[in-house]
């Protein structure tokens, strides 16, 4: 655990992938002065609380994050974020990996950041790959049909007729209160 420099604060950042996930476990038992929490996928670039935390941090503060994969979407993002913060005089501490970075890090520390960040990115990719394989097998077995359509057969036919008549797909999406991709999916069948 890294202590904040004289007058600095320990600022926690927590990210969970969905609204119903528990945020408490990530920094449970870790002393922080303030916590910023996002409920968003790691691949999502719109993380307002991360931006707020980064704006809040000052020279001498410590940013405390449960693990590397909670802070960054990929290795490039991780390296950039840590380097940007340490150049501002902020120490970055990862609880799970037991690593902290202050900008005066040795070549070995930088190697560890790169390796551990790469491992986290690889783990996420493997999870996603297994998830897609499972979905494909479930579809083959007829057990995965996706989300139930909110559109009635009459609405679907109306969309197909209007697309065939040459109507603008964006306008159709607005008219029916769906995304353009939904219109394209219906038109393709």
């Amino acid at each position: 655990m890294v202590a904040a420099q004289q007058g600095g604060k320990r600022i926690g950042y927590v990210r969970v992938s969905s609204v119903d996930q528990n945020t408490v476990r990530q920094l449970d038992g870790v002393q922080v002065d303030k916590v910023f929490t996002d409920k968003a996928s790691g691949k999502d670039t719109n993380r307002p609380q991360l931006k707020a935390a980064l704006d809040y941090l000052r020279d001498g503060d410590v940013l405390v994050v449960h693990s590397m994969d909670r802070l960054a979407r990929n290795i490039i993002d991780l390296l950039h974020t840590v380097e940007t913060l340490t150049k501002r005089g902020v120490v970055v501490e990862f609880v799970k990996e037991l690593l902290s970075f202050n900008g005066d890090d040795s070549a070995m520390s930088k190697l560890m950041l790169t390796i551990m960040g790469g491992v986290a990115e690889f783990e996420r990719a493997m999870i996603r790959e297994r998830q897609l394989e499972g979905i494909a097998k479930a579809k083959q077995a007829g057990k995965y049909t996706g989300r139930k359509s909110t559109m009635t057969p009459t609405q679907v036919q109306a969309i197909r007729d209007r697309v065939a008549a040459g109507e603008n797909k964006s306008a159709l999406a607005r008219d029916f209160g769906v995304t353009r991709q939904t219109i394209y999916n219906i038109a393709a069948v």
Side-chain angles (χ1 to χ4, degrees):
M1 181 168 102
V2 177
Q5 294 176 15
Q6 186 72 307
K9 295 181 180 179
R10 290 179 54 81
I11 306 302
Y13 175 68
V14 172
R15 183 187 60 76
V16 291
S17 298
S18 64
V19 176
D20 59 341
Q21 283 184 317
N22 188 344
T23 59
V24 175
R25 74 164 185 86
Q26 286 190 24
L27 294 178
D28 189 33
V30 177
Q31 190 273 321
V32 292
D33 298 305
K34 184 174 180 69
V35 176
F36 292 85
T37 303
D38 272 321
K39 296 189 177 189
S41 168
K43 68 182 177 186
D44 192 350
T45 57
N46 182 26
R47 293 181 282 163
Q49 289 300 299
L50 176 58
K51 183 180 179 339
L54 297 178
D55 291 344
Y56 183 86
L57 288 162
R58 301 289 178 255
D59 183 12
D61 288 348
V62 178
L63 177 64
V64 184
V65 185
H66 174 68
S67 63
M68 292 177 182
D69 66 331
R70 301 289 93 192
L71 179 63
R73 298 171 317 202
N74 55 47
I75 188 70
I76 294 168
D77 190 29
L78 176 67
L79 295 172
H80 174 73
T81 302
V82 170
E83 181 180 350
T84 300
L85 288 171
T86 57
K87 280 184 178 177
R88 289 175 40 200
V90 175
V91 174
V92 181
E93 177 184 316
F94 297 104
V95 176
K96 182 179 172 186
E97 292 89 356
L98 299 174
L99 294 172
S100 64
F101 300 90
N102 63 12
D104 297 331
D105 305 307
S106 67
M108 183 58 77
S109 294
K110 290 177 183 176
L111 175 64
M112 288 302 295
L113 177 64
T114 304
I115 289 172
M116 296 301 287
V119 167
E121 186 174 339
F122 176 73
E123 284 176 345
R124 282 192 307 276
M126 292 304 297
I127 289 167
R128 180 70 178 139
E129 189 175 299
R130 286 191 299 270
Q131 180 184 33
L132 291 174
E133 287 172 358
I135 289 170
K137 286 185 182 208
K139 281 182 179 179
Q140 285 175 343
K143 295 179 180 177
Y144 185 91
T145 56
R147 192 174 132 207
K148 298 280 186 226
S149 177
T150 58
M151 308 207 69
T152 66
T154 305
Q155 290 173 314
V156 169
Q157 190 56 52
I159 290 171
R160 287 186 182 139
D161 292 343
R162 291 172 67 177
V163 166
E167 286 195 42
N168 180 288
K169 292 179 180 73
S170 294
L172 286 171
R174 281 190 299 277
D175 289 350
F176 284 90
V178 297
T179 64
R180 281 185 312 161
Q181 186 60 51
T182 299
I183 300 299
Y184 282 104
N185 291 346
I186 290 170
V189 176

